[in-house]
């Protein structure tokens, strides 16, 4: 059995360009699909958040239309209800990445608010990358990579191939014109080689020990790729 760290947003809103605080948090599927895959394979999940706050689920992500219907929505809600780790998060500042076989970042717009600039999260990312252990991030969770940029503008992610929530997808959500910045633009500015598939299709990119998924629908494929790196429990 391997110990897996889920680093999750502690934010319950995303501040838009005009100062409006849009209610959000983590996206349910992006936690539920990997959590279910990893725990069913026999692995143990620990959740860490800034300050150890209990993460907030984006209520929109629990709707049937985002989960393939009512049955899918109930299944995702059931995973969240049964995930004791969600109710007992540890403080991100207290995390030693060396204690975990892999690190995973779910998305939702929440990471755009806090993890995108969190130095404690940046430490977890850089130490995990340096260790060679798998680091997986999906959708807006990829925003956590932005915090690795140093005062000189250089990030250890420069030159990496990766993906994340695309400009096209953000436009289709209706937030592209309202956001202070877009994830794809910032990742490109960071020096990463951003790749994208057609909007809302599953797309996973692996470069060395970095694994990234484009959108919520990429969560299951990303979990499978991560499991492949971990091997049997």
């Amino acid at each position: 059995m391997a110990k897996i760290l889920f680093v999750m947003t502690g934010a319950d809103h995303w501040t838009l360009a005009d100062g409006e605080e849009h209610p959000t948090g983590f996206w349910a599927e992006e936690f539920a699909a990997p959590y279910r895959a990893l725990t069913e394979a026999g692995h143990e999940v620990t959740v860490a958040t800034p300050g150890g706050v209990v993460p907030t689920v984006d209520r929109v992500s629990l709707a049937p239309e985002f989960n393939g219907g009512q049955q899918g929505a109930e299944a995702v809600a059931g995973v969240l209800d049964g995930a004791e780790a969600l109710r007992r998060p540890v403080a991100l500042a207290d995390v030693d990445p060396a204690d975990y076989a892999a690190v995973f970042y779910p998305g939702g717009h929440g990471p755009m608010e806090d993890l995108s600039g969190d130095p404690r999260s940046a430490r977890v990312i850089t130490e995990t990358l340096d260790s060679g252990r798998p680091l997986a991030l999906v959708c807006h969770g990829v925003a956590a990579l932005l915090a690795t940029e140093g005062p000189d503008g250089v990030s250890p992610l420069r030159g990496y191939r990766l993906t994340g929530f695309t400009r096209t997808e953000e436009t289709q959500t209706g937030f592209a014109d309202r956001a202070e910045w877009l994830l794809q633009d910032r990742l490109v500015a960071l020096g990463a080689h951003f790749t994208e598939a057609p909007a809302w299709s599953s797309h996973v990119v692996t470069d060395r020990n970095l694994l990234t998924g484009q959108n919520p629908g990429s969560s299951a494929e990303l979990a499978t790729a991560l499991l492949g790196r971990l091997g049997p429990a």
Side-chain angles (χ1 to χ4, degrees):
M1 179 180 67
K3 293 174 62 178
I4 314 300
L5 180 68
F6 274 39
V7 180
M8 300 182 66
T9 180
D12 61 5
H13 68 275
W14 175 33
T15 305
L16 301 176
D18 64 0
E20 177 187 345
E21 294 186 352
H22 172 70
T24 187
F26 71 90
W27 196 260
E29 180 184 4
E30 296 171 25
F31 172 87
Y35 178 86
R36 181 168 49 206
L38 290 164
T39 55
E40 287 181 352
H43 301 298
E44 176 186 345
V45 170
T46 296
V47 170
T49 63
V53 302
V54 175
T56 298
V57 64
D58 188 319
R59 304 304 300 179
V60 173
S61 70
L62 296 172
E65 56 263 38
F66 294 109
N67 293 285
Q70 185 61 36
Q71 185 175 358
E74 291 173 359
V76 166
V79 174
L80 268 58
D81 289 343
E84 186 62 28
L86 272 178
R87 291 177 284 279
R88 297 184 293 104
V90 300
L92 189 53
D94 297 334
V95 165
D96 182 353
D99 292 338
Y100 301 92
V103 177
F104 179 80
Y105 280 72
H109 279 114
M112 302 277 280
E113 182 72 20
D114 59 357
L115 297 180
S116 62
D118 192 310
R120 297 156 298 187
S121 173
R123 175 183 60 84
V124 171
I125 288 170
T126 55
E127 290 185 14
T128 303
L129 283 174
D130 289 345
S131 74
R133 293 186 296 272
L135 171 66
L137 312 90
V138 66
C139 199
H140 290 97
V142 183
L145 298 178
L146 300 174
T148 65
E149 185 175 13
D152 56 0
V154 176
S155 164
L157 274 304
R158 177 172 291 181
Y160 273 78
R161 292 180 61 255
L162 51 75
T163 190
F165 204 65
T166 67
R167 187 185 303 108
T168 298
E169 288 165 331
E170 201 71 88
T171 299
Q172 292 178 7
T173 67
F175 284 111
D177 292 337
R178 304 175 63 196
E180 188 173 353
W181 49 269
L182 297 180
L183 179 57
Q184 180 174 350
D185 296 344
R186 289 284 304 277
L187 290 168
V188 170
L190 197 69
H193 297 301
F194 190 94
T195 77
E196 61 181 295
W200 312 110
S201 60
S202 181
H203 179 53
V204 169
V205 176
T206 299
D207 187 344
R208 287 157 275 185
N209 57 322
L210 177 68
L211 299 81
T212 51
Q214 179 172 313
N215 49 37
S218 306
S219 301
E221 182 182 350
L222 182 61
T224 299
L226 180 56
L227 280 168
R229 293 295 186 98
L230 292 170

